[in-house]
Amino acid sequence: DRALSHYGLARRTGRTRAPLGSELDDELAGRTPLPARFLLRPSRQAPGVARVAAEFGAAHLPLRFEDMVADPRATLERIARFLDLDPGGFDPGAVARNAAASPRLPALNAALHRSGAKTLLRQHLPAALKPALRAAWFSDAQPHVSPAEIARLARALESTG
């Protein structure tokens, strides 16, 4: 799920226009520079999480994103208890950000991203204008990922992680 989410983000931001299978092929073959690898390497978190849990024991609070999505209030209360904080200071109604979406003009989106023009636009456009532009620029459609590509990704994560 983490790798698929990051793939959707890479498509939305214009970092890639390639199908998931092509991105996976490039990572497996070592054709992707290390800092640009976003499918496999960042998804291998279980060994690191296990080391933190072993090292810190009760001073470690394991959290799952799925729990936060399913019941944000309960998860925030759990965090507050762990940190000995007032849970009333958390805002469980915060709006989700960085949701995957498909640019309506992928080639132009990628070019604007590579050139830095998207960053300049984000910095200089009035805040009130941004939601309308975002709605016009992106569709809610997620990038198409076939079941076969998802299965290949899962196998790659199992065999390399």
Side-chain angles (χ1 to χ4, degrees):
D1 288 345
R2 196 228 56 86
L4 291 173
S5 174
H6 204 135
Y7 173 69
L9 176 66
R11 291 289 301 253
R12 181 176 64 82
T13 60
R15 276 187 53 207
T16 187
R17 292 176 49 210
L20 177 67
S22 297
E23 288 291 342
L24 182 57
D25 289 342
D26 287 346
E27 281 196 30
L28 289 169
R31 292 187 294 263
T32 307
L34 186 61
R37 295 178 191 170
F38 60 83
L39 292 173
L40 302 175
R41 187 174 58 93
S43 296
R44 297 181 190 126
Q45 298 177 17
V49 170
R51 283 193 306 274
V52 168
E55 183 69 28
F56 293 98
H60 164 252
L61 177 66
L63 298 170
R64 291 176 358 110
F65 176 77
E66 293 82 1
D67 296 335
M68 184 65 167
V69 171
D71 193 349
R73 185 168 306 281
T75 304
L76 290 171
E77 286 175 4
R78 185 171 164 228
I79 293 168
R81 280 193 309 274
F82 179 79
L83 296 173
D84 196 25
L85 296 172
D86 174 14
F90 290 117
D91 179 10
V95 177
R97 302 201 31 144
N98 292 331
S102 296
R104 295 182 196 282
L105 304 167
L108 180 58
N109 188 61
L112 291 174
H113 180 73
R114 278 192 309 273
S115 71
K118 279 185 75 174
T119 301
L120 288 172
L121 287 169
R122 276 194 300 269
Q123 291 171 344
H124 297 290
L125 285 173
L129 185 59
K130 290 180 182 180
L133 286 174
R134 194 173 296 119
W137 191 256
F138 295 105
S139 74
D140 287 339
Q142 302 296 308
H144 176 72
V145 177
S146 72
E149 288 175 309
I150 293 171
R152 277 191 63 221
L153 176 61
R155 285 192 304 274
L157 285 166
E158 289 169 5
S159 68
T160 59

